[in-house]
């Protein structure tokens, strides 16, 4: 731990040592009282709208916002080359992982098998085309697109290309990365294996091992992307500096007070006065760096979030009360709700997997809905306490949102693998559609919501006096 104070400039430096990636730096500049103008490179925290001086973190350091504690930047060493190498390897593994046989199941001499791609298509044959489409998109199309976009952007930056499609590709990568769910699919494969382990002989094929490799490479590729660096290089340093330097009142504490508008996607900051000069699309002002629509706050954010949350609450009733899966065993048909599936694992003694399904299918959607309602009510009634905790809760809701798809992936895999004719077959039931819609609605609710609206409820006098990051220790 290091701690230092420079009284003349009023800079307080705090650094915490730990593992390489657990280092946090917080630097506060004490406020000046005169309302003079400063010309510096400013940025705005995307989580709470706090006005900050732009800095470059040292390797192994994480820059966090002093107000909401959101992580603003963590430099990734050799980011472009690493991303390029990992994304290229991931693309090489993508086809074998999806099209080679995943595993074979054998029951009383009858064998069935499936590749990941045919499992993704299985819901179409079950009379569930919408669920089939979502499984196909999140399990196959979006992961392929994410890896391809990342490959082309990092290849372009590595080769020094200045192509116009590169910022568009990067923007689409950011939009799609949350919807590429190969990691959730892999956990779904493990749950399926544990579920079928007692009733069938399981033989793993090449596709299974390729898929594990693909998931590891996809996660590693996403973790190696240094987004601020990628955007800076895509824009070009000179052009970026031209647009980024402007005068801001020293009394302004937030981006809103300083008249700055932040791009939701690439986090480019622009003064509202410059917005009129930017290119437009259907009347909307576009970000000069990434081409995303720019506005001070996400439009209609609260109404749209309420609409998605209310729809999720209504749909969660049939999703939990109606059967989600139908099992035929020697001519006898039984239906299972989500809760029946969880009870099955607990009765079989598979407590760990039962707990995972309980968390992903029941607790996570419940937590997402109640958490979002709490945040929306906080804005409605100006509850300004615990803002930092509510921000953390929202970031957690954003992070866990996609894991609720686990149950749908398990059903898709079971529908593809358990087709033993008269002996046993598994098919999807109506609740699969409702449950998929609940997951989508809660994810769209989080995407629609603008967290800065929560911090806007705090009155100016309660905002810490001009907390601004502008430097960092060379080594902790
Ligand atoms: Zn913040
Ligand atoms: Zn942008």
């Amino acid at each position: 731990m290091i701690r230092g104070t420079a009284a003349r400039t009023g800079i307080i430096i705090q650094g915490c040592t730990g593992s390489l990636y657990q280092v946090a730096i917080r630097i506060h500049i004490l406020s000046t009282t005169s309302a003079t103008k400063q010309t510096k490179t400013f940025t705005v925290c995307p989580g709470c709208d706090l006005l900050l001086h732009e800095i470059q973190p040292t390797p192994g350091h994480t820059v966090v916002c002093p107000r909401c504690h959101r992580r603003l930047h963590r430099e990734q060493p050799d980011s472009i080359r690493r991303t390029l190498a990992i994304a290229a390897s991931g693309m090489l593994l993508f086809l074998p992982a999806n099209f080679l046989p995943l595993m074979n199941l054998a029951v009383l001499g009858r064998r069935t098998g499936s590749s990941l791609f045919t499992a993704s298509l299985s819901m179409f044959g079950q009379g569930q085309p919408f669920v089939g489409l979502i499984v196909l998109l999140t399990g196959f199309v979006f992961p392929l697109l994410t890896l391809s976009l990342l490959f082309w952007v990092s290849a372009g930056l590595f080769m020094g290309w200045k192509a116009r499609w590169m910022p568009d590709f990067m923007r689409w990568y950011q939009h799609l990365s949350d919807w590429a769910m190969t990691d959730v699919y892999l956990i779904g494969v493990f749950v399926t294996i544990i579920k079928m382990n007692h009733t069938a002989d399981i033989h793993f094929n090449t596709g299974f091992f390729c898929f594990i490799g693909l998931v590891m490479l996809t996660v590693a590729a996403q973790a190696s992307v240094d987004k601020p660096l990628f955007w800076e290089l895509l824009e070009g340093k000179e052009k970026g500096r031209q647009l980024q330097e402007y005068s801001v009142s020293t009394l302004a504490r937030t981006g809103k007070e300083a008249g700055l508008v932040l791009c939701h996607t690439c986090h480019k900051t622009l003064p509202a006065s410059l917005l009129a000069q930017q290119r437009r699309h259907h009347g909307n002002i576009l970000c000069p760096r990434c081409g995303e629509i720019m506005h001070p706050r996400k439009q209609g954010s609260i109404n749209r979030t309420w609409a998605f949350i209310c729809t999720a609450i209504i749909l969660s009733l049939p999703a939990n009360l109606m059967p989600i899966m139908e099992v035929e065993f020697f001519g006898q048909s039984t239906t299972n709700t989500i809760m029946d599936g969880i009870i099955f694992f607990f009765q079989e003694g598979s407590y760990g997997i039962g707990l995972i399904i309980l968390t992903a299918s029941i607790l996570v959607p419940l937590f997402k809905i109640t958490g979002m309602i709490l945040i929306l009510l906080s804005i409605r009634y100006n509850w300004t306490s615990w803002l930092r905790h509510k921000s953390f809760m929202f970031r957690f809701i954003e992070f866990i949102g996609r894991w609720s798809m686990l149950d749908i992936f398990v059903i898709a895999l079971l529908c593809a693998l358990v087709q033993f004719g008269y002996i046993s077959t598994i098919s999807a039931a109506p609740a699969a559609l409702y449950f998929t819609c609940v997951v989508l609605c809660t994810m769209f609710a989080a995407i629609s919501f603008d967290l800065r609206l929560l911090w806007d409820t705090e009155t100016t006098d309660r905002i810490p006096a001009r907390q601004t990051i502008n430097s960092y220790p060379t080594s902790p």
Side-chain angles (χ1 to χ4, degrees):
M1 165 79 75
I2 62 156
R3 191 179 287 268
T5 308
R8 192 170 58 83
T9 55
I11 298 174
I12 302 163
I13 303 170
Q14 285 182 306
C16 305
T17 56
S19 72
L20 193 65
Y21 294 108
Q22 287 175 335
V23 182
I25 315 159
R26 286 179 221 159
I27 299 163
H28 310 274
I29 290 194
L30 303 182
S31 69
T32 53
T33 47
S34 62
T36 54
K37 298 266 184 179
Q38 285 183 345
T39 303
K40 277 185 179 171
T41 307
F42 285 98
T43 189
V44 173
C45 171
C48 69
D49 202 35
L50 187 69
L51 188 63
L52 302 158
H53 290 178
E54 272 219 330
I55 66 158
Q56 283 295 323
T58 45
H61 286 65
T62 302
V63 178
V64 295
C65 171
R67 190 185 186 197
C68 70
H69 288 190
R70 181 192 166 108
R71 193 179 78 187
L72 298 171
H73 192 183
R74 185 168 67 190
E75 194 178 272
Q76 302 292 338
D78 208 8
S79 175
I80 293 166
R81 273 206 308 187
R82 258 194 329 145
T83 308
L84 177 60
I86 299 170
S89 316
M91 283 177 74
L92 286 175
L93 265 187
F94 196 87
L95 292 182
N98 278 278
F99 290 102
L100 287 180
L102 193 69
M103 54 186 159
N104 288 330
L105 262 60
V107 174
L108 299 174
R110 294 192 67 153
R111 296 175 74 85
T112 62
S114 167
S115 69
L116 207 64
F117 184 70
T118 45
S120 300
L121 294 177
S122 65
M123 288 296 212
F124 287 102
Q126 302 282 327
Q128 297 275 3
F130 182 73
V131 182
L133 181 70
I134 299 300
V135 171
L136 186 68
L137 288 175
T138 54
F140 180 80
V141 179
F142 292 155
L144 177 61
L145 277 176
T146 305
L147 272 177
S148 313
L149 293 170
L150 209 48
F151 170 77
W152 285 109
V153 172
S154 49
L157 290 176
F158 183 71
M159 302 295 284
W161 298 340
K162 299 276 179 208
R164 294 181 83 179
W165 49 263
M166 283 168 62
D168 293 331
F169 275 29
M170 185 64 190
R171 187 179 82 235
W172 278 106
Y173 160 72
Q174 283 196 212
H175 286 314
L176 291 180
S177 58
D178 269 353
W179 295 92
M181 302 186 187
T182 42
D183 43 356
V184 185
Y185 213 158
L186 181 65
I187 303 297
V189 171
F190 288 139
V191 171
T192 309
I193 292 165
I194 293 167
K195 197 174 175 81
M196 295 308 299
N197 202 22
H198 299 298
T199 47
D201 289 328
I202 301 172
H203 176 73
F204 299 104
N205 291 320
T206 323
F208 177 75
F209 302 103
C210 290
F211 184 50
I212 292 176
L214 173 68
V215 173
M216 289 168 74
L217 287 170
T218 306
V219 172
Q222 292 189 358
S224 64
V225 182
D226 188 335
K227 286 180 198 161
L229 173 75
F230 270 53
W231 279 120
E232 198 180 302
L233 294 172
L234 284 169
E235 185 181 31
K237 279 191 178 170
E238 283 308 309
K239 197 179 166 196
R241 213 167 283 140
Q242 241 177 20
L243 281 168
Q244 199 84 2
E245 287 181 3
Y246 33 76
S247 296
V248 166
S249 163
T250 51
L251 289 182
R253 294 173 183 181
T254 61
K256 198 177 182 182
E257 283 178 8
L260 298 177
V261 180
L262 180 86
C263 171
H264 304 299
T265 304
C266 73
H267 298 167
K268 174 92 185 164
T269 314
L270 274 186
S273 55
L274 273 185
L275 282 182
Q277 301 166 16
Q278 304 308 317
R279 64 195 170 103
R280 289 166 182 261
H281 181 69
H282 294 300
N284 294 310
I285 297 158
L286 300 182
C287 171
R289 185 155 74 174
C290 71
E292 186 65 77
I293 296 170
M294 278 186 103
H295 26 63
R297 296 287 180 271
K298 287 183 183 173
Q299 287 176 325
S301 169
I302 291 180
N303 289 343
R304 275 194 294 152
T305 311
W306 270 120
F308 282 123
I309 289 296
C310 291
T311 314
I313 293 170
I314 294 165
L315 292 176
S316 57
L317 291 174
N320 285 285
L321 298 175
M322 290 174 78
I324 198 164
M325 204 167 66
E326 195 176 330
V327 183
E328 269 194 47
F329 192 66
F330 285 106
Q332 278 203 328
S333 175
T334 50
T335 53
N336 292 317
T337 60
I338 293 174
M339 205 34 128
D340 291 335
I342 295 163
I343 292 168
F344 166 83
F345 281 115
F346 279 104
Q347 283 175 342
E348 290 286 315
S350 304
Y351 298 108
I353 213 79
L355 213 60
I356 289 174
I357 299 272
L358 176 72
T359 308
S361 305
I362 307 277
L363 300 182
V364 166
L366 195 69
F367 178 74
K368 284 193 287 188
I369 290 170
T370 47
M372 287 307 301
I373 289 175
L374 178 70
I375 291 169
L376 288 167
L377 289 177
S378 295
I379 296 171
R380 175 74 181 79
Y381 295 106
N382 278 327
W383 297 335
T384 52
S385 51
W386 303 90
L387 288 181
R388 196 175 286 161
H389 298 85
K390 287 176 208 162
S391 284
F392 178 77
M393 184 172 72
F394 176 74
R395 293 200 294 272
F396 188 62
I397 287 170
E398 273 186 314
F399 170 73
I400 57 169
R402 55 214 287 284
W403 286 91
S404 302
M405 277 296 284
L406 180 64
D407 222 19
I408 298 298
F409 286 133
V410 172
I411 293 167
L413 284 159
L414 287 173
C415 289
L417 288 165
V418 186
Q419 297 299 331
F420 298 105
Y422 179 72
I423 302 169
S424 179
T425 53
I426 288 181
S427 50
L433 172 65
Y434 298 115
F435 187 74
T436 308
C437 292
V438 170
V439 179
L440 293 181
C441 282
T442 50
M443 283 186 75
F444 281 129
I447 291 169
S448 310
F449 184 66
D450 194 332
L451 188 58
R452 291 169 300 175
L453 294 167
L454 179 71
W455 290 90
D456 284 347
T457 56
E458 198 171 47
T459 49
T460 312
D461 57 300
R462 291 190 60 186
I463 301 172
R466 193 59 180 278
Q467 291 201 337
T468 313
I469 300 175
N470 84 328
S471 183
Y472 51 89
T474 50
S475 175

